[in-house]
Amino acid sequence: MPLPMEVAIVQHNPMVGDVSGNCTQIIEAYRQATDAGAKLVVTPELALFGYPPRDLLHRRRVRDAEQTALDDLRRVTEEGPPLIVGHTASANQTSGPPLTNSATVFDNGEVTGQYSKRLLPTYDIFDEHRYFSRGTEPEVVHIKDTTVGITICEDAWYDHEVTGQRRHQTDPIAPYEDEEVDLLVNLSASPYRVNKPSSRQERFGRHAERIDAPVVFANQVGGNDDILFDGTSFILDADGSPIVSATSGEPRVLIGQPKNNSATASIPSETTQLRRMLELGIRDYLDKTGFDDVIIGISGGIDSSVAAALAAEAIGPAHVHGITLPSAITAESSRTDAERVAQNLGIQFNEIGIEQLSKSLLDAINGITPGDDTRGITRENVQARVRGLLLMGVANDLNALVLTPDNKSEAAVGYCTLYGDAVGAIAPLGDCTKRRVYALAEDFNTDLPTWTDSAPIPSSVLEKAPTAELAEGQIDADDIPPYEVTDAVVKQYVGNKHNLDQIVQETTATKQQVKTVIEHITRSEFKRHQTPPALRVTTKAFDSGWRYPIAASYAEILTDS
């Protein structure tokens, strides 16, 4: 069955809680779609509120503003095509949460249908049972001669396994198979993760084949706090083949026409797509919190170099301030590498020596603690915290935000200093393992930023042994297993929830190495509770979906089976 009419998807970038601003975006996109000849316009899930709304849903005034916006959208359709819009609605029941996650159909200025999301995700970062009551019925509407079935996000993932088990017993797609709909519409706020866009097309392709009808997937785009939404909306034919698809990471109005099979967007490589999404997350975090500039402590290492490159490409080199903060033990090559990175990227660059400040603080500490000298760990942490203090001070003075360059591997094993190198507003690399950071660096050197002819990351940065450089001759491998081992264990333990024996079988790590990494992960829980949010790009990040206690015993996890 071919696409029965011209359908437009509003792939927009909402600000959570800015109901009037989000409504304006939708109306502008609706008019653009109307001018392009659309016969039906579809928005993402909770398009007026933005996703995830979290406890803003408890604020009556924001919900009242949403009702006003819905009335504005209803009137817009008096002289235009029908509109299916995602929003909250009052639940018609006496128990449970007072709201539903809903979609309303406006046609000729009238409400012609309403659907409430039947499957509410409550796992990982999602907690919709906290706010919404579950819908119980399908919804089929007739738009001219076309029968349209409606679903919302999770409804299409009813058989998806999360944490090793199916989450739902209800199949919201089944009624549309029985109804023989001409078109299935899904309003989504589906977060990005590496390789998810292709897996979505595969899943919705199966739905299209099953109901023998085209499928419309309308997805939100943009960064909201640590969660990234790629958009990548699409319309599939009844055989699952793409009719049209949108570019990842960009707001746009996507038009699908019954006989147009030539407008599909090309899918970039995994690392290039990751790079674009991280940049989107940086850019939106600043835009939506009201900041223009960022501060990055550039050490001459791989993490700070890649973080600076991402920031420069996201918001422009003029808005990125790189600062190197050498101590007496900092190698001259580190200082020169930091300067070369800044020059290659065209960002602002300054140097602040920390030796005198560190010495003053160590003298003060030594004056009230026993012994003739401070402990080695104290000396190392003071250096990192002096750097953090200076970066935050410059940020305060310039009304800027500090970006934290720490990666997922370091966050996992606690290889960072609280209130030191871990200070900042957000960690763009916080869900990227060390090896993924290197892959991003190679991508920057292969696909250069538009404003430079030089590879931004020098070979000397790529080739040096990773080091925190807080002690003489220190390298990371002195304290934790090599990153190829650490990364593999982190992926299996954090991402796949595998036990010690499984990890030994599935990686090249020895049992002792696996134990070492897991011990570091469990002991470092307190640090992750106090560090900046990380832009989420995998199935399991250290974010609101990672809820392990601090004061707990993890001895059973480290016990051999």
Side-chain angles (χ1 to χ4, degrees):
M1 179 187 296
L3 186 66
M5 66 174 80
E6 290 79 4
V7 179
I9 295 173
V10 177
Q11 180 171 292
H12 82 316
N13 185 347
M15 178 183 286
V16 174
D18 183 13
V19 173
S20 60
N22 298 335
C23 183
T24 297
Q25 281 190 45
I26 294 169
I27 290 174
E28 290 174 353
Y30 176 87
R31 289 173 176 155
Q32 182 181 337
T34 301
D35 292 343
K39 301 299 188 293
L40 172 65
V41 182
V42 183
T43 79
E45 175 182 17
L46 295 184
L48 288 169
F49 227 113
Y51 196 96
R54 295 184 172 136
D55 282 6
L56 275 176
L57 289 167
H58 295 320
R59 297 295 173 172
R60 182 74 199 195
R61 291 194 62 168
V62 186
R63 300 204 313 270
D64 288 346
E66 188 183 36
Q67 293 307 305
T68 300
L70 283 170
D71 201 44
D72 291 341
L73 293 175
R74 178 189 59 78
R75 286 194 296 270
V76 166
T77 66
E78 291 174 354
E79 298 181 357
L83 170 68
I84 304 178
V85 61
H87 61 93
T88 69
S90 296
N92 297 319
Q93 57 190 61
T94 57
S95 62
L99 299 174
T100 56
N101 182 341
S102 297
T104 290
V105 184
F106 295 124
D107 193 355
N108 290 319
E110 302 289 337
V111 175
T112 59
Q114 188 172 83
Y115 173 82
S116 294
K117 188 175 182 177
R118 299 182 64 186
L119 303 184
L120 302 178
T122 302
Y123 55 83
D124 199 59
I125 61 171
F126 305 105
D127 52 5
E128 290 196 24
H129 278 109
R130 175 184 173 97
Y131 306 106
F132 299 118
S133 289
R134 186 173 64 87
T136 58
E137 300 295 331
E139 179 70 11
V140 174
V141 295
H142 298 280
I143 297 174
K144 299 192 185 307
D145 298 326
T146 301
T147 303
V148 180
I150 303 174
T151 58
I152 298 177
C153 206
E154 186 79 5
D155 294 333
W157 301 82
Y158 61 91
D159 62 344
H160 187 54
E161 286 195 359
V162 182
T163 64
Q165 63 181 5
R166 278 183 57 171
R167 306 295 301 191
H168 310 290
Q169 302 306 313
T170 302
D171 176 2
I173 305 294
Y176 303 123
E177 189 176 11
D178 299 335
E179 287 276 351
E180 296 185 357
V181 296
D182 302 316
L183 184 68
L184 179 66
V185 170
N186 183 272
L187 292 73
S188 277
S190 176
Y192 166 80
R193 62 170 167 76
V194 172
N195 290 328
K196 192 171 185 180
S198 58
S199 68
R200 282 200 212 101
Q201 282 213 11
E202 182 179 336
R203 167 164 290 273
F204 281 89
R206 291 199 296 269
H207 293 325
E209 292 174 348
R210 176 183 173 190
I211 64 174
D212 191 29
V215 171
V216 174
F217 170 74
N219 196 29
Q220 174 178 300
V221 71
N224 285 330
D225 294 348
D226 55 329
I227 306 177
L228 305 177
F229 298 89
D230 56 295
T232 324
S233 303
F234 53 75
I235 301 174
L236 304 180
D237 217 333
D239 63 2
S241 60
I243 294 174
V244 67
S245 60
T247 305
S248 297
E250 298 177 5
R252 66 163 297 179
V253 176
L254 182 69
I255 307 289
Q257 299 177 341
K259 296 183 179 180
N260 179 12
N261 286 286
S262 61
T264 57
S266 60
I267 299 176
S269 71
E270 173 187 308
T271 302
T272 297
Q273 190 173 63
L274 172 64
R275 170 179 165 185
R276 302 301 178 214
M277 291 305 301
L278 292 174
E279 289 164 3
L280 173 66
I282 294 170
R283 186 163 55 248
D284 273 5
Y285 193 89
L286 266 69
D287 287 346
K288 294 177 181 181
T289 55
F291 288 86
D292 297 318
D293 292 3
V294 297
I295 310 295
I296 301 176
I298 302 185
S299 65
I302 189 70
D303 301 311
S304 61
S305 299
V306 172
L310 288 168
E313 198 160 52
I315 60 176
H319 294 284
V320 181
H321 304 258
I323 302 175
T324 190
L325 301 131
S327 71
I329 63 171
T330 300
E332 178 60 20
S333 60
S334 296
R335 197 203 67 77
T336 56
D337 281 342
E339 187 171 13
R340 283 182 64 196
V341 169
Q343 289 174 344
N344 291 348
L345 291 171
I347 65 175
Q348 301 184 56
F349 180 75
N350 289 99
E351 180 177 325
I352 306 174
I354 67 165
E355 190 61 29
Q356 287 303 113
L357 276 171
S358 297
K359 185 177 184 306
S360 296
L361 287 171
L362 288 169
D363 288 344
I365 294 168
N366 198 40
I368 59 173
T369 55
D372 297 328
D373 198 5
T374 50
R375 297 168 60 203
I377 187 66
T378 306
R379 293 194 298 273
E380 292 181 18
N381 285 349
V382 162
Q383 291 177 68
R385 287 173 180 146
V386 166
R387 288 177 173 132
L389 173 67
L390 291 168
L391 292 173
M392 290 301 297
V394 173
N396 290 158
D397 219 37
L398 295 179
N399 194 33
L401 294 180
V402 175
L403 291 191
T404 308
D406 291 351
N407 60 62
K408 187 174 188 174
S409 306
E410 294 169 347
V413 299
Y415 203 64
C416 59
T417 303
L418 277 179
Y419 330 119
D421 56 328
V423 301
I426 197 160
L429 297 172
D431 198 24
C432 296
T433 60
K434 193 77 167 185
R435 287 178 297 177
R436 191 158 266 162
V437 176
Y438 278 101
L440 284 164
E442 295 288 358
D443 196 73
F444 269 106
N445 285 353
T446 302
D447 182 11
L448 303 181
T450 56
W451 66 89
T452 181
D453 295 326
S454 302
I457 317 296
S459 58
S460 53
V461 173
L462 293 167
E463 294 166 2
K464 70 171 65 173
T467 173
E469 210 167 18
L470 295 174
E472 201 73 50
Q474 181 187 59
I475 60 172
D476 294 1
D478 293 336
D479 300 307
I480 57 176
Y483 279 112
E484 60 268 21
V485 172
T486 296
D487 288 0
V489 176
V490 168
K491 179 180 178 181
Q492 296 297 332
Y493 179 79
V494 175
N496 297 336
K497 302 178 182 63
H498 287 174
N499 62 34
L500 189 153
D501 290 330
Q502 287 175 307
I503 297 171
V504 171
Q505 292 171 6
E506 293 163 7
T507 70
T508 60
T510 65
K511 181 169 287 189
Q512 185 53 52
Q513 286 175 322
V514 174
K515 281 188 174 183
T516 298
V517 173
I518 295 177
E519 285 171 350
H520 277 294
I521 292 172
T522 57
R523 286 204 306 264
S524 302
E525 198 60 51
F526 77 101
K527 288 189 176 183
R528 291 188 290 272
H529 279 242
Q530 300 180 69
T531 50
L535 294 181
R536 183 179 187 270
V537 298
T538 68
T539 55
K540 179 59 68 175
F542 294 121
D543 56 10
S544 58
W546 178 267
R547 302 183 184 185
Y548 284 80
I550 297 172
S553 170
Y554 290 91
E556 292 294 339
I557 291 175
L558 292 164
T559 302
D560 298 350
S561 60

